[in-house]
């Protein structure tokens, strides 16, 4: 079983900053969900920011939720994200 979520912070760009029970901190990008059925409501940034933790995962007031395993597997570690940005900057500089 993958770690569960103990802290969530929504960002202005539809991402969730997550802290897991194993103390890893990761970022989950929700952009791909915004055009999908029950998740369309998350486009409203005020609603998106109402995310809470319940049962080790994230939920919103109208019962949208995400599988904690999906959040763990598909999120990007904060160090990885920083490394990716650095690699992208280096690619752009080399052009």
């Amino acid at each position: 079983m993958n770690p569960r979520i103990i802290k969530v912070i929504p960002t202005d760009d539809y991402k969730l900053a997550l802290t897991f029970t194993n103390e890893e901190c990761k970022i989950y990008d929700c952009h791909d969900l915004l055009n999908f059925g029950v998740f369309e409501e998350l486009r409203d940034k005020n609603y998106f920011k109402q995310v809470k933790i319940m049962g080790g995962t994230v939920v919103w007031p109208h019962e949208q939720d995400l599988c904690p395993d999906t959040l763990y597997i598909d999120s990007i570690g904060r160090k990885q994200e920083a490394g990716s940005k650095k690699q992208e900057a280096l690619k752009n500089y080399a052009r």
Side-chain angles (χ1 to χ4, degrees):
M1 180 167 91
N2 288 314
R4 297 303 186 231
I5 295 148
I6 57 172
K7 183 176 180 182
V8 60
I9 300 171
T11 69
D12 289 333
D13 59 347
Y14 300 106
K15 293 180 182 177
L16 300 174
L18 304 168
T19 303
F20 292 86
T21 53
N22 66 355
E23 299 183 12
E24 281 185 76
C25 297
K26 295 184 166 196
I27 302 290
Y28 183 82
D29 189 342
C30 294
H31 277 98
D32 291 342
L33 301 174
L34 301 178
N35 294 318
F36 182 72
V38 299
F39 295 107
E40 289 179 357
E41 192 170 17
L42 300 182
R43 289 185 205 165
D44 176 342
K45 288 188 179 189
N46 290 322
Y47 183 74
F48 181 78
K49 290 183 177 187
Q50 293 179 42
V51 65
K52 302 226 182 297
I53 298 170
M54 183 183 295
T57 194
V58 297
V59 298
W60 284 268
H62 298 153
E63 300 184 8
Q64 296 98 331
D65 64 357
L66 296 169
C67 173
D69 293 324
T70 299
L71 291 169
Y72 185 75
I73 293 167
D74 292 345
S75 60
I76 297 172
R78 291 185 187 167
K79 289 180 184 177
Q80 289 175 313
E81 182 181 43
S84 296
K85 288 180 182 179
K86 185 177 181 180
Q87 287 176 341
E88 188 64 32
L90 289 172
K91 284 182 190 176
N92 289 335
Y93 179 75
R95 289 183 188 172

